[in-house]
Amino acid sequence: MNIVVLGSGGREHAICAALAKSPSCEKLYCLPGNGGTAAIAENVAGLDICDGTAVAGFARDHDIDLVVIGPEAPLVAGVADVVRASGVAVFGPDAQGAQLEGSKTYSKQFMERCGIPTARYASFDSAEPALAYAREIGAPLVVKADGLAAGKGVVVADDIEMAEEAIVKCFDGAFGEAGSQVVVEECLTGPECSLLAFVSGGKAHLMATAQDHKRAYEGDTGPNTGGMGVYSPVPIVTDGEYEAMAQAMNAAAAATAQDPFDVDYRGVLYGGFMLTPDGPKVLEFNARFGDPETQVILPRLEGDLAQIMLAVAEGRPQDVELSWSKQWAACVVLASEGYPGSYEKGKVILGIDEAEALEGVTVYHAGTAFNDDEELITAGGRVLNVVALGETFEEARERAYEAVDLINFEGKQFRGDIGSRAARGRSAWE
Ligand code: AMP
Ligand code: GLY
């Protein structure tokens, strides 16, 4: 099978690494890829991955059997629809299915319709009624731009002034089209936990739980980022909570194949949950693998990812068989100094081979490239994902930090407390 993966982050490196291990994967391309994917796939630059016709053309010219879409933007842009219509199997939902991530209003309506627990909300297309509703329910509350805003469109407002400012900012065009509708919702409390599933033909095949660390600095302080570290599975989840999350994911998968939604959903559905005192509630759905969640989930997958993805893409959910290693996985993100604000690029990276020589350690690249001297250099805010497997949660975390110490580049920034809250137990959230 010839496969092409669209995207350039740590998620795509982890997907490519798992596909490269598959006996059925003959030729692997990554568009555009990064410094890490270059070692296992052929990187191809200069093609707009949000242009479905261009991607379909690439697939035709390179005899591609399966197109795997990593990020949300091409899904929302309808790349899966165009490529599938050209006769090539695609791993990724159609544009309508991707609205579960692309429109928070659509996603909330979907949840309401299938009885999936979520925060109380209202959706608005102008500022005045949104402001009136916010004043009525009072702080704390959450303001969300409806569309894709690269994780920056959500404000958890502790006081009403902050909520008012967020509403006005959205309607003033801070997020362009994405902010022309605004969701205002009740603020939930508790630990967050993600549960991902392969979804095809209305059936969900659940993956493991994972917990991201979105804030930039230790102790969950500082600005939100794309994710500074993650681990899997999540030890603080009770059996009852897991069951409730599984039920929500199964209900969502079933609804994708039924009226009135009836979308062509063949890919990953990502459920972002908050474990509230009233049980797990969905904060958001994403229409793709999480980044960095994928980097701790796929290394624990024991099956053949290429065959799993092909079965999902061809609408054969009965052929998806998943088995997971019993090991724990922890991932520490190494970022450029200044991230998520402005940062410098081009710093030479050393020590990856030494880190990967440690037992159970893999380093996935996120923002890396090669300079003219063929040296590996930093090329983004999040640079590397240092992942370690271990027999226990503690062992996975210790190994990841041992590996982190061996890697160096100027301005290396990371959190030293990935997983330490969960290691203290549920009371650490109270
Ligand atoms: P979202 O993109 O909707 O997942 O929101 C991004 C982040 O905002 C989540 O990971 C939570 O940390 C936070 N958040 C979103 N919705 C709520 C809510 N209703 N209550 C509390 N925090 C929330
Ligand atoms: N880690 C959160 C996301 O991928 O959206």
Side-chain angles (χ1 to χ4, degrees):
M1 201 178 351
N2 297 334
I3 306 176
V4 58
V5 175
L6 309 187
S8 60
R11 166 182 51 208
E12 285 75 21
H13 188 191
I15 293 172
C16 283
L19 288 173
K21 278 196 275 178
S22 162
S24 47
C25 177
E26 282 162 51
K27 176 82 190 169
L28 185 61
Y29 298 90
C30 195
L31 309 185
N34 62 31
T37 60
I40 47 178
E42 185 175 332
N43 283 352
V44 180
L47 191 140
D48 177 4
I49 63 166
C50 287
D51 178 343
T53 310
V55 175
F58 179 90
R60 187 190 54 237
D61 296 345
H62 295 81
D63 219 2
I64 295 295
D65 302 291
L66 176 66
V67 175
V68 177
I69 304 181
E72 60 277 19
L75 293 168
V76 172
V79 171
D81 310 54
V82 177
V83 178
R84 205 168 275 145
S86 79
V88 179
V90 181
F91 183 88
D94 66 359
Q96 191 58 39
Q99 284 299 94
L100 283 178
E101 173 164 7
S103 164
K104 300 221 182 262
T105 304
Y106 178 87
S107 185
K108 294 294 275 193
Q109 286 167 350
F110 176 90
M111 290 182 230
E112 253 182 345
R113 198 74 187 228
C114 354
I116 292 174
T118 185
R120 277 185 298 127
Y121 82 104
S123 176
F124 302 93
D125 51 21
S126 63
E128 275 315 314
L131 290 166
Y133 179 77
R135 289 174 194 132
E136 185 194 317
I137 64 170
L141 50 81
V142 184
V143 177
K144 300 181 174 184
D146 185 74
L148 294 183
K152 300 191 179 77
V154 175
V155 173
V156 180
D158 295 325
D159 55 56
I160 193 70
E161 289 75 24
M162 201 174 162
E164 287 173 346
E165 197 184 310
I167 291 169
V168 169
K169 202 175 138 194
C170 263
F171 286 115
D172 275 354
F175 305 109
E177 230 348 82
S180 62
Q181 242 182 326
V182 168
V183 167
V184 179
E185 68 180 36
E186 97 184 276
C187 189
L188 303 175
T189 56
E192 286 184 48
C193 179
S194 313
L195 181 59
L196 281 68
F198 290 103
V199 172
S200 184
K203 295 270 182 308
H205 287 275
L206 300 176
M207 297 186 230
T209 53
Q211 193 171 50
D212 195 0
H213 293 59
K214 290 216 170 82
R215 300 293 197 100
Y217 313 132
E218 289 174 16
D220 291 322
T221 58
N224 263 331
T225 69
M228 293 300 290
V230 60
Y231 54 84
S232 176
V234 182
I236 55 152
V237 176
T238 66
D239 289 349
E241 284 171 335
Y242 183 81
E243 277 312 309
M245 289 193 287
Q247 204 181 337
M249 296 303 291
N250 286 325
T256 60
Q258 290 162 5
D259 279 342
F261 300 105
D262 201 12
V263 292
D264 196 357
Y265 208 105
R266 311 186 203 185
V268 169
L269 181 65
Y270 168 125
F273 290 85
M274 193 165 261
L275 307 177
T276 80
D278 300 327
K281 296 191 178 179
V282 174
L283 294 176
E284 63 166 344
F285 281 126
N286 292 323
R288 50 166 175 87
F289 269 115
D291 188 343
E293 286 85 346
T294 308
Q295 291 87 307
V296 286
I297 291 175
L298 289 186
R300 297 182 55 240
L301 177 69
E302 285 176 335
D304 179 331
L305 184 65
Q307 288 301 333
I308 292 167
M309 285 181 154
L310 187 66
V312 168
E314 292 182 343
R316 294 183 281 110
Q318 69 280 8
D319 295 336
V320 176
E321 273 180 40
L322 303 182
S323 76
W324 302 96
S325 109
K326 293 266 179 291
Q327 288 183 304
W328 295 75
C331 165
V332 179
V333 172
L334 303 186
S336 299
E337 186 174 9
Y339 174 78
S342 58
Y343 52 84
E344 289 178 18
K345 296 181 186 176
K347 311 293 183 194
V348 175
I349 304 168
L350 296 172
I352 292 184
D353 289 346
E354 289 78 357
E356 289 197 314
L358 296 177
E359 192 183 339
V361 171
T362 307
V363 179
Y364 296 114
H365 296 222
T368 68
F370 290 97
N371 64 16
D372 292 340
D373 298 326
E374 291 295 307
E375 294 169 309
L376 187 72
I377 53 168
T378 64
R382 289 188 294 171
V383 179
L384 296 170
N385 306 142
V386 181
V387 175
L389 293 170
E391 297 308 315
T392 61
F393 186 39
E394 251 336 287
E395 187 175 60
R397 293 172 59 222
E398 273 167 21
R399 280 182 178 165
Y401 279 110
E402 222 178 297
V404 163
D405 280 344
L406 295 172
I407 299 173
N408 282 303
F409 56 86
E410 196 187 316
K412 175 177 99 171
Q413 176 188 320
F414 65 95
R415 277 182 59 165
D417 64 345
I418 299 305
S420 52
R421 207 166 169 186
R424 293 202 303 276
R426 192 64 176 252
S427 58
W429 272 269
E430 279 153 12

